[in-house]
Amino acid sequence: MGLPRITLGATAVVAILAAITISARLGGALEDEREAALFDPASPLFCAGVRTPSTEPRLVCAASRASFLAEAHASGLAPEACASASLPARAGAGCLVVVEARGSACAVVEVGRLPAATALICGARLDVNAATEAELALLPGIGEVRARRIVESRARDGPFPDAESLDRVHGIGPKTVDLLRPWIVAGGAE
């Protein structure tokens, strides 16, 4: 009797490879400043999705944000015109950019969202005021029950003004908020 075959979808394989790349890039134990750099937009590792209008999205982890499109081109995922192009300001870690060649120029024709699990692997933060219950359940220490409570609290009491206000949710205290801080933002709160 042979071993069962395990098949992973392309997204899962890419997510695993990205996690391995991030782990290898960061090395063993992280110092405080290196740990903070993991979530810094100026961090030396920049991951996002890229596709052309006629291809499926693929994840690219580049040495920097500035080299993202050149590395996407070098990987065969972006047209040659993108080899010397740069991303628009609205394209951040964990986004999905759609690129195409327009003459000799590279055009970013769309900036969208990657699935939450992939975006989190890329270092993007999840907006607790916009995330779905399923997306919130992906966060460390949350799970399905706390995710449901966050959504219910948001609907009942309004948006969370900041990360600390998550402690208004039953089952979430200061320790959980500290655990979540690198993974979340409270966008759209006014």
Side-chain angles (χ1 to χ4, degrees):
M1 181 161 106
L3 294 173
R5 291 183 66 184
I6 298 174
T7 336
L8 294 175
T11 303
V13 171
V14 169
I16 291 167
L17 290 174
I20 291 168
T21 302
I22 291 168
S23 296
R25 178 87 174 173
L26 295 176
L30 293 173
E31 301 162 9
D32 288 342
E33 52 271 1
R34 287 187 67 201
E35 188 172 71
L38 175 62
F39 304 103
D40 181 358
S43 176
L45 186 64
F46 182 86
C47 296
V50 66
R51 75 175 184 86
T52 65
S54 61
T55 63
E56 291 294 316
R58 299 285 187 246
L59 190 65
V60 174
C61 289
S64 69
R65 186 181 190 286
S67 68
F68 177 78
L69 287 175
E71 293 188 40
H73 164 66
S75 300
L77 302 173
E80 185 175 345
C82 294
S84 60
S86 49
L87 288 171
R90 69 186 190 278
C95 72
L96 173 65
V97 293
V98 180
V99 296
E100 68 182 11
R102 290 191 179 160
S104 62
C106 177
V108 176
V109 295
E110 182 182 342
V111 176
R113 291 181 50 190
L114 286 172
T118 307
L120 286 168
I121 288 171
C122 289
R125 294 180 182 213
L126 192 62
D127 182 352
V128 295
N129 289 323
T132 66
E133 190 175 314
E135 292 170 335
L136 290 165
L138 297 170
L139 293 168
I142 295 300
E144 293 177 13
V145 172
R146 288 181 179 165
R148 186 176 326 105
R149 290 177 184 163
I150 291 170
V151 171
E152 289 169 354
S153 175
R154 192 174 63 199
R156 182 181 58 248
D157 304 321
F160 297 95
D162 51 37
E164 289 75 24
S165 61
L166 277 172
D167 68 0
R168 76 184 191 203
V169 177
H170 177 73
I172 298 179
K175 287 183 181 179
T176 304
V177 170
D178 284 342
L179 177 67
L180 293 173
R181 198 174 314 281
W183 302 101
I184 62 169
V185 294
E190 296 180 20

